[in-house]
Each structure stands twice: as C-alpha cells, then as structure tokens.
Amino acid sequence: MADHKAELRETLRQMEIATGEAAASCLPGLLARLRRHEAGLPGHPLIRPWRRWRIRRLAGAVAEARWHVEQGRRARLGGLSGRG
C-alpha cells in the first residue's frame, strides 16, 4: 500500500511541475493581453462593459497562472500545498 501512495504522490508532483511549466509559458501572453485591454479602457461606450468584463477575466487567469507557477516551483522543491 505504501508503494501505491508513494507512486501517487510522485505522479501528482510530476503533474504539478508540468502544470506549472505550462502556466509559466502562458503567463507572458496573458499579461500582454491584460495590459492591452487596460490601456484601451475608456474606448467606445458600447464596448466598455465587455472590456471591463474581459479585464476581470484576464486578471483572474493571470492570478490562476501565477498560482500554478508557484505550485510547480514548490513541487520541484519537494513540497506541495493545496488551495487553501
């Protein structure tokens, strides 16, 4: 039973590392899109609600990617922490 638990922990660690690397590769693009949307904020009155919604969604995606990058870094160092 201990072998299965150790194998599962190692698999989860490898998944966290891979997810962190994938999030790190997406982060620059997400940040660029967020900055582009924030730069054009005033814009046309009909597009403002969509742009504000888009900024909130992109900001959430950036926060999520940063969290995954941090989890991947922690997994590489040998420790995992949950979303809490």
Side-chain angles (χ1 to χ4, degrees):
M1 186 63 128
D3 275 347
H4 294 292
K5 286 184 180 181
E7 185 178 324
L8 178 62
R9 282 191 199 106
E10 181 58 26
T11 302
L12 290 175
R13 186 175 93 64
Q14 293 299 322
M15 288 171 55
E16 285 291 336
I17 291 170
T19 303
E21 290 172 359
S25 69
C26 293
L27 196 55
L30 286 171
L31 287 169
R33 288 169 61 193
L34 178 59
R35 275 187 246 121
R36 188 172 60 242
H37 279 285
E38 287 175 337
L41 230 188
H44 195 276
L46 292 175
I47 297 178
R48 278 187 211 144
W50 173 81
R51 186 164 281 162
R52 283 193 297 261
W53 172 83
R54 188 69 182 140
I55 288 170
R56 283 193 308 271
R57 298 288 292 186
L58 284 169
V62 166
E64 182 83 8
R66 285 181 175 155
W67 186 84
H68 281 292
V69 168
E70 179 62 22
Q71 288 300 102
R73 185 186 69 77
R74 287 183 181 179
R76 261 186 255 106
L77 297 175
L80 289 175
S81 66
R83 278 185 189 251

